[in-house]
Amino acid sequence: MITIKSAAEIQRMDAAGRIVEETLALMGRLARVGVTTRELDREAERYIRSQGAEPSFLGYRGYPRSICTSVNEQVVHGIPGSYRLKDGDILSVDVGACLDGFHGDAARTFLIGSVPEEVQQLVRVTRECFFVGLRYARAGCRVGDIGAAIQQHAESSGYGVVREMIGHGIGRNMHEEPDVPNYGRAGRGPRLAAGMTIAIEPMINLGTERILQLADGWTVVAADGLPSAHYENTVVITDGEPRLLTLHEEADSA
């Protein structure tokens, strides 16, 4: 069931969202050539706990780490481990934090060293896709309006839009209704209302939209082995402009 959050509940989500935002900023500073993804996971968990929060992902449906670290062709849910970042990699970091019973969730894709221009462009367009979709994250619009805008922007650059992995409602639970796909038809899907909180998260592939799941049961990769990028924020629907709970700097549009 879709829930409408009170002002007090949104305030608590905002506090969780700020921890997520700060954790991602820390990851951006630490993610350098030679660093392992497990080292990033340890630092992220340490910071989240230092703020009085819990890592939302740790133990969620059996997930073994505190953050997700997805490198190059990995779309989402990469498990931090012994991999050492290399010059030219891209690294998508997905972070969730739970504070006082409410969750925040966001993701960024970082450039490691000298990344080819075509891959840098993929990362830029994926971020743009979020802000294009955000234009429709307002009361009276429908979920399909968000997905259609994201799909059009990504596909106009020749990229593949992942279908199986989607955005979602969020609040007391990491995943709530409604589903928020990154594709679809305008005017379709649940109607958005003030007080709804959703995570919009474009996952865009340089090549095919098709994905595969690795034997670890978590890591999802692009089926053609080409790079994939991820950008996500937790968003509050209002009667006016949407409010970002995991990005408090001025939100520029695409």
Side-chain angles (χ1 to χ4, degrees), residues 3-156:
T3 59
I4 303 298
K5 309 300 190 301
S6 68
E9 289 173 323
I10 290 172
Q11 185 175 12
R12 291 161 73 182
M13 289 187 67
D14 184 62
R18 286 179 183 272
I19 295 170
V20 170
E21 180 180 8
E22 291 160 2
T23 304
L24 284 167
L26 174 63
M27 296 297 96
R29 294 191 295 272
L30 296 178
R32 297 290 184 267
V33 173
V35 173
T36 69
T37 53
R38 185 69 173 111
E39 289 169 335
L40 294 176
D41 179 73
R42 291 193 187 102
E43 291 303 314
E45 180 176 358
R46 182 178 295 117
Y47 183 77
I48 291 168
R49 293 190 186 281
S50 77
Q51 301 303 300
E54 298 287 331
S56 297
F57 301 165
L58 183 61
Y60 182 72
R61 297 179 180 174
Y63 186 73
R65 298 287 187 261
S66 294
I67 62 173
C68 299
T69 54
S70 304
V71 182
N72 298 330
E73 78 281 1
Q74 296 177 354
V75 180
V76 285
H77 303 161
I79 301 174
S82 61
Y83 182 83
R84 291 190 181 277
L85 297 174
K86 297 179 176 62
D87 186 62
D89 284 346
I90 59 172
L91 170 70
S92 296
V93 179
D94 196 352
V95 173
C98 184
L99 182 68
D100 297 330
F102 286 87
H103 295 268
D105 185 13
R108 305 284 186 266
T109 299
F110 301 111
L111 307 178
I112 309 301
S114 299
V115 175
E117 175 56 35
E118 68 169 352
V119 182
Q120 292 186 45
Q121 178 68 8
L122 169 69
V123 174
R124 286 194 294 268
V125 170
T126 301
R127 182 179 185 277
E128 290 171 3
C129 282
F130 171 84
F131 287 102
V132 167
L134 186 67
R135 296 171 184 167
Y136 299 92
R138 57 183 64 228
C141 291
R142 292 185 179 273
V143 166
D145 299 331
I146 297 173
I150 291 172
Q151 180 181 5
Q152 191 281 327
H153 192 70
E155 292 181 348
S156 69

